[in-house]
Amino acid sequence: SRSLRTLERRLGYTLLRRSTRGSTLTPEGVLTTEWAREALEAVDRLAAGADALAHRGQEELTIGSSMTIAEHLLPGWIGAFRARRPGVATRLRVMNSAQVIEAVAGGDVALGFVETPDLPAGLQHLTVFTDQLVVVAGPGHAWARLDGPLEPAELAVTALVEREEGSGTRAFLDRLVDDHRPAPLVELNSNSAICQAVVEGIGPAVLSRLAVEGYLRAGLLVEVPTRGRQLGRTLQAVWRDRLPDGGAAAGFVEVARGAGRPADAGH
């Protein structure tokens, strides 16, 4: 109780409504709790990701990952995998999807996670997560004020803020919309940089919902509905040859698939 009162003084508002029948969260307390949960989850992702980049441990599993998966999914998978296999260190390399495929094919990484639909015939692959791409614009953009859904034809002829060539998000958009789309307004090598460019009014973008959820909740970006089918895609694990039963790579794929199932059902 003393710690909570100290926190309330520092925040400048009341978190708990106290009575003789107990305590309940105020509306401000409910919102603060949600923010705190997100912050703690982010700290956990940071710790797991940083540890993977430092590749500590005895046995080592080298993983290549595209940016969206590395930012939003892999830290949770790494944490769950380490709970099962504490003696295995996970070494993480973050690249775009085309580079991950090249690294897997060349034997530089044992296991890769990619967003692109363009998978070479020589690699094994398995769907681990179902994702959704969303069209986003800044609040001041014309698309944020449309009376109805955006027509696919307009999306296909509009220059966007996009990832670099070789990005899985860009390849999926080419496949789903039109591979003869205009050249990007600007190419950036991270989802956060794209979001910031859209916020600043450079132009609209199409990104994973995983990458834009925080911006949408904060009102910094506006989701633009599209007419027709949703821009859904599958995220794939890729590897060479056969994964040995009971091996670290096979165990990691199992964790990723298990973690992805609830999200699959939600899409």
Side-chain angles (χ1 to χ4, degrees):
S1 296
R2 189 161 46 247
S3 297
L4 279 170
R5 289 192 180 94
T6 299
L7 179 58
E8 287 174 332
R9 284 197 300 271
R10 289 179 178 176
L11 292 172
Y13 53 84
T14 303
L15 296 171
L16 289 178
R17 187 180 294 110
R18 300 167 176 87
S19 71
T20 55
R21 291 176 294 178
S23 300
T24 57
L25 287 169
T26 63
E28 294 84 358
V30 171
L31 186 57
T32 302
T33 300
E34 182 60 29
W35 288 339
R37 182 178 294 111
E38 292 175 2
L40 291 172
E41 289 173 353
V43 169
D44 288 341
R45 289 198 302 270
L46 172 61
D51 202 37
L53 291 173
H55 51 86
R56 304 185 187 97
Q58 298 85 41
E59 182 184 352
E60 187 173 282
L61 173 64
T62 305
I63 298 170
S65 174
S66 60
M67 183 64 69
T68 299
I69 298 173
E71 286 180 335
H72 302 283
L73 296 174
L74 258 177
W77 297 349
I78 290 170
F81 176 73
R82 287 185 175 172
R84 294 188 186 187
R85 305 284 290 270
V88 180
T90 45
R91 180 180 181 185
L92 178 59
R93 293 178 56 188
V94 182
M95 304 168 271
N96 65 37
S97 289
Q99 292 166 336
V100 171
I101 288 172
E102 183 179 348
V104 172
D108 295 328
V109 300
L111 183 64
F113 291 95
V114 298
E115 306 157 47
T116 180
D118 303 325
L119 300 174
L123 295 183
Q124 308 295 316
H125 62 91
L126 184 70
T127 298
V128 294
F129 194 87
T130 301
D131 189 23
Q132 182 188 4
L133 297 178
V134 294
V135 182
V136 292
H141 193 274
W143 283 4
R145 301 186 297 274
L146 293 176
D147 292 331
L150 181 70
E151 296 293 340
E154 185 172 358
L155 179 61
V157 299
T158 301
L160 304 172
V161 181
E162 298 197 49
R163 289 283 307 281
E164 76 284 359
E165 192 74 39
S167 154
T169 298
R170 184 163 168 175
F172 247 106
L173 188 59
D174 288 343
R175 178 76 64 90
L176 289 170
V177 179
D178 190 338
D179 59 1
H180 297 296
R181 297 182 300 113
L185 288 168
V186 62
E187 295 183 3
L188 300 167
N189 63 2
S190 76
N191 294 327
S192 57
I194 291 176
C195 288
Q196 192 57 43
V198 178
V199 168
E200 292 174 1
I202 293 177
V206 178
L207 290 171
S208 166
R209 183 173 293 280
L210 295 168
V212 300
E213 279 181 330
Y215 291 86
L216 294 174
R217 283 197 300 268
L220 297 172
L221 295 178
V222 175
E223 180 176 351
V224 183
T226 55
R227 191 179 301 281
R229 62 176 179 165
Q230 289 187 327
L231 303 178
R233 63 175 180 175
T234 56
L235 308 183
Q236 305 284 329
V238 294
W239 64 90
R240 290 197 317 176
D241 309 321
R242 179 180 176 275
L243 292 179
D245 294 337
F252 199 97
V253 171
E254 182 182 346
V255 166
R257 290 189 71 199
R261 282 173 190 144
D264 292 350
H267 290 301

